[in-house]
Amino acid sequence: MSTDAVVMAVLVAAALAVTLGVALGWAASRIEPDADSLVERIDALLPQTQCGQCRYPGCRPYAAAIAAGAAEIDRCPPGGAATVRALAALLDRPPRPLDPAFGGPKPARVAWIDEERCIGCARCLPACPVDAIVGAPRQMHTVIAAQCTGCELCLPPCPVDCIELRPVPAVSLRYRQPRAA
Amino acid sequence: MAARSRFPAGLALDTHKQQACGTPIVELALPAQVVLALDQGTGYGAEPVVAVGAAVAMGTLVARTDHPFASALHAPLAGTVVAIETRAAAVAGGRSVCIVIAGDGSDRVDDGVTPVPDADALSPDELAQRLRAAGIAGLGGAGFPTATKLASARDRRAQTLLLNGAECEPWICCDDALMRSAADDVVLGALILRRAAGAVRCVIAIEDDKPAAIAAVTGAIGRRRDDALTLEVIPAVYPQGAERQLVTTVTGVEVPSGGLPADAGVICQNVATAAAVARWATSGEPLLSRVVTVTGSGVERPCNVRAPIGTPLAALIAASGGYRGTPLRLIAGGSMTGRALPSDEVGLTKAMNCVFVATRDDIGARLGAVELPCIRCGDCASVCPAGLLPQQLHRAALADAHDALRDLGVRDCIDCGLCDYVCPSQIPLADRFRDAKRRLDEAAATAQKAADARQRHELHMRRLQEAATAEHRAFEDVRRRVRQPGDDPTDGAD
Ligand code: SF4
Ligand code: SF4
Ligand code: SF4
Ligand code: SF4
Ligand code: SF4
């Protein structure tokens, strides 16, 4: 009788394992990572310069391409090595160097319009992906430095080449510093 | 009467106060020129209201501000504004726009400088406003505008004004000298500040290694006969004078992480600030001068000097007998928390309580120090007055692991420098934490900017799309109209 009991126990255990395995597999196939939230999470790591150097029309489309497996994670020069590292960690892939085909890292800069030379043609307005340029036709235009991402997209449309990129004005980043006595 | 130090750790340091404290405060003659940095040490600057060439008298407003972290500036001497330009300054980054005033040797005083006879009749709000207009700021080393602190104390209904006379940095003794020579001013200022803060009681805290100051302040308090004004003698333990630590020692309440002393019902002010408030009340004088300790082995006669704000440090050092030996570093603040200065041409700021001229004798051990790997001795954790774990923070700082830095409480690090003082491996821990805090701030600013850019880009795309749809619809409309039966479609297309 005892052999019967052993066989029975083994059979029950095996059946249990098979059922659980199937159930878990099915569950896993149902709880696939939400594609949208993956795009969000990738987008959150991109610098939002919206420059298109990755050859996608902005950071979010590039995020969607990465999520869909259509693009590698090494195409964003403004983000540089730090962004590639962050993406690699999120997607659990080995980090890789930035692909130089898409451009190299540059120092942080913002656009500046030479208001003496600006003819007010307003062509730079629609080019700016973050609406950082203010102006109206036949008025001089100016860049709101705090909102400019330095994407350079306003340079080509300007007929008089009066826009240039300048180093970011030093912001005073301050933290409270209680001192002893 | 004596309280025990109640913050987690701290350390009794060797003191060097006797160097500068033996002699009375030296009154500096008016310098030929003053260099007023618009940023007086808080990172935020005032805006000039005078132009180059303007004539100013003593007390004339030269820079105003609405910013809560900046303070108004007044001409400390009569003369002419000779320059407004970027110069070396005693601020983070080493440079600030400065207003340079050349004195004309006269003692003309601005008409606006009149005594405030009715200080007692002013409401707390009016008082705070007047103190802001007078440019009064924390003289204990932070330079934070007094009115801003008063406002936050009233918002949080702080009941206690804690007057900080701890002065725990081993080389500094300007507050000690001030309390000994002007205890009545300190007490008068304390009472005005207590009213302005809406507090009901005032405690003056002094470390037990300053018996003369304790005696002088006890006398001044006795002359006032005010039950809600008391003296608390506290142990001399570094960093007793740091705000959070002082609050814990005196009240037994811990300031919540990331919070202000006002959250614990306390507003802290420095004794020198109180004395400046008293000067303003009795003479109407805005903040034009301060007492500063000039010390270190690199000066001939260490002493305390009362000098106009903006006095070039070279003039202060000259008043202390000049340089001696081979000074290595010029440091603003004390040996523990001070910052190296770019040159002795920078002007005295409201926040500067000490000019420390260090030679190899003072800081030689640190200069030759070779940083060794952490041996996990735990000494740093046992002295940290903020109760942090410096060795773990250090690992996180080296890895630039922002989450870990935040979780370990790097924000509560008060820069006291004790951890590197005791570290047997001579790791510059406090410097690394200072850097890490700056990087956290930068990362937060970058993240904020990216979030804004994302939102603006979405709006931009939506607008383009709407414009395109509208254009398309208009085109369709035209087409529909030109293709009315009977019309010639090729005609209408033009
Ligand atoms: S290169 Fe980077 S910053 Fe530029 S659009 Fe692409 S993802 Fe955005
Ligand atoms: S102003 Fe020019 S460089 Fe700046 S974000 Fe707009 S398009 Fe880019
Ligand atoms: S494109 Fe050039 S000229 Fe035209 S509005 Fe912009 S900055 Fe001025
Ligand atoms: S004191 Fe220095 S060596 Fe000791 S645990 Fe702290 S960091 Fe490491
Ligand atoms: S510098 Fe910061 S971490 Fe080091 S002992 Fe002081 S409070 Fe603690």
Side-chain angles (χ1 to χ4, degrees):
Chain A
M1 275 307 128
S2 74
T3 35
D4 268 9
V6 170
V7 170
M8 197 60 192
V10 168
L11 281 179
V12 167
L16 213 64
V18 170
T19 329
L20 275 178
V22 169
L24 281 175
W26 176 81
S29 73
R30 293 299 303 254
I31 326 174
E32 215 171 64
D34 183 350
D36 261 359
S37 83
L38 182 59
V39 175
E40 293 289 338
R41 267 149 61 212
I42 297 175
D43 191 36
L45 298 178
L46 295 174
Q48 306 301 321
T49 309
Q50 314 293 359
C51 60
Q53 287 182 83
C54 52
R55 299 193 199 142
Y56 287 91
C59 303
R60 207 188 149 92
Y62 177 42
I66 295 178
E72 254 309 336
I73 57 174
D74 56 2
R75 300 173 71 148
C76 174
T83 295
V84 182
R85 252 196 324 259
L87 288 172
L90 173 69
L91 301 170
D92 206 10
R93 297 188 202 167
R96 48 196 291 145
L98 210 60
D99 184 343
F102 298 89
K106 288 183 198 157
R109 292 183 306 168
V110 291
W112 175 82
I113 295 179
D114 184 349
E115 292 170 6
E116 302 281 291
R117 282 161 54 211
C118 168
I119 55 171
C121 71
R123 284 188 213 174
C124 54
L125 284 188
C128 176
V130 293
D131 295 332
I133 306 179
V134 285
R138 287 182 301 286
Q139 307 284 315
M140 95 194 166
H141 285 52
T142 192
V143 174
I144 307 167
Q147 286 166 359
C148 170
T149 66
C151 70
E152 304 188 8
L153 293 178
C154 53
L155 303 190
C158 178
V160 293
D161 284 342
C162 68
I163 313 179
E164 62 189 52
L165 278 120
R166 298 189 154 187
V168 178
V171 274
S172 148
L173 280 170
R174 170 188 175 282
Y175 52 86
R176 286 204 45 212
Q177 188 172 64
R179 285 277 194 77
Chain B
M1 176 145 120
R4 268 175 23 82
S5 139
R6 286 192 269 198
F7 55 87
L11 205 60
L13 300 175
D14 291 345
T15 152
H16 298 274
K17 294 184 195 276
Q18 63 285 0
Q19 269 90 334
C21 254
T23 49
I25 296 174
V26 176
E27 295 279 338
L28 192 78
L30 285 183
Q33 220 180 44
V34 291
V35 183
L36 292 167
L38 294 181
D39 172 2
Q40 283 286 309
T42 61
Y44 291 92
E47 299 149 33
V49 293
V50 289
V52 174
V56 293
M58 196 184 281
T60 306
L61 180 75
V62 294
R64 61 168 297 284
T65 176
D66 291 324
H67 198 287
F69 296 167
S71 60
L73 290 169
H74 301 78
L77 42 65
T80 315
V81 176
V82 291
I84 299 179
E85 61 191 20
T86 304
R87 288 198 176 190
V91 298
R95 293 181 81 70
S96 165
V97 176
C98 301
I99 300 179
V100 185
I101 301 171
D104 58 12
S106 79
D107 52 5
R108 269 182 307 120
V109 176
D110 194 86
D111 298 338
V113 179
T114 50
V116 189
D118 53 350
D120 281 340
L122 293 174
S123 75
D125 262 333
E126 284 165 332
L127 257 179
Q129 230 150 49
R130 299 281 292 272
L131 293 175
R132 185 185 295 284
I136 293 183
L139 300 183
F144 198 75
T146 301
T148 303
K149 246 187 180 180
L150 290 172
S152 94
R154 278 204 312 278
D155 288 350
R156 293 172 168 79
R157 301 190 188 288
Q159 296 298 297
T160 306
L161 167 68
L162 180 50
L163 216 57
N164 187 347
E167 200 166 46
C168 53
E169 270 265 2
W171 288 83
I172 307 180
C173 57
C174 55
D175 289 350
D176 184 9
L178 188 75
M179 287 188 284
R180 281 184 291 159
S181 66
D184 285 308
D185 273 3
V186 170
V187 168
L188 172 61
L191 296 178
I192 298 175
L193 284 170
R194 188 179 68 187
R195 251 168 55 68
V200 292
R201 63 182 191 124
C202 171
V203 180
I204 304 180
I206 308 178
E207 281 190 343
D208 57 11
D209 61 347
K210 302 178 185 61
I214 291 169
V217 171
T218 307
I221 291 178
R223 288 190 281 283
R224 283 281 161 184
R225 296 207 180 76
D226 185 329
D227 290 341
L229 172 66
T230 50
L231 173 74
E232 185 91 14
V233 177
I234 53 178
V237 171
Y238 183 83
Q240 188 69 268
E243 246 179 43
R244 311 171 73 96
Q245 282 63 29
L246 186 66
V247 170
T248 306
T249 299
V250 173
T251 67
V253 181
E254 219 178 289
V255 180
S257 170
L260 296 171
D263 296 324
V266 181
I267 165 178
C268 294
Q269 287 289 334
N270 182 266
V271 288
T273 313
V277 170
R279 258 174 114 96
W280 164 79
T282 47
S283 70
E285 188 184 294
L287 185 57
L288 301 182
S289 66
R290 68 158 299 145
V291 180
V292 51
T293 301
V294 184
T295 188
S297 310
V299 288
E300 205 58 56
R301 283 192 309 278
C303 61
N304 289 300
V305 185
R306 177 174 283 282
I309 306 297
T311 303
L313 299 190
L316 291 177
I317 290 158
S320 319
Y323 289 111
R324 185 178 70 176
T326 30
L328 277 180
R329 293 258 165 90
L330 194 56
I331 295 169
S335 57
M336 298 297 288
T337 63
R339 303 291 165 84
L341 290 170
S343 87
D344 64 4
E345 283 160 24
V346 308
L348 177 67
T349 61
K350 295 178 183 179
M352 203 186 298
N353 49 5
C354 176
V355 179
F356 180 44
V357 187
T359 62
R360 191 161 283 279
D361 290 346
D362 304 330
I363 52 172
R366 305 241 50 173
L367 282 179
V370 180
E371 184 181 337
L372 300 170
C374 169
I375 55 167
R376 303 188 189 212
C377 62
D379 285 359
C380 49
S382 69
V383 294
C384 177
L388 305 178
L389 299 168
Q391 77 274 37
Q392 292 194 22
L393 268 175
H394 185 238
R395 267 219 307 254
L398 285 187
D400 208 13
H402 290 189
D403 289 341
L405 280 167
R406 254 189 302 264
D407 294 347
L408 288 166
V410 74
R411 291 247 165 251
D412 292 332
C413 165
I414 57 164
D415 272 1
C416 70
L418 267 186
C419 47
D420 36 331
Y421 183 82
V422 298
C423 176
S425 294
Q426 286 135 351
I427 304 173
L429 295 159
D431 272 358
R432 301 249 158 90
F433 302 158
R434 221 178 263 165
D435 264 6
K437 279 182 277 189
R438 189 182 45 74
R439 285 198 305 270
L440 278 186
D441 280 352
E442 277 171 6
T446 309
Q448 184 57 51
K449 193 173 170 182
D452 289 351
R454 179 184 297 122
Q455 202 184 7
R456 297 178 68 82
H457 182 59
E458 272 165 20
L459 290 175
H460 174 86
M461 294 310 276
R462 201 176 309 153
R463 218 187 48 237
L464 285 193
Q465 201 166 20
E466 275 163 15
T469 324
E471 212 169 287
H472 183 69
R473 226 181 279 125
F475 175 70
E476 291 282 311
D477 270 1
V478 172
R479 203 160 58 177
R480 217 176 304 119
R481 252 185 291 120
V482 300
R483 294 236 170 110
Q484 293 295 327
D487 278 3
D488 181 14
T490 43
D491 262 12
D494 276 347

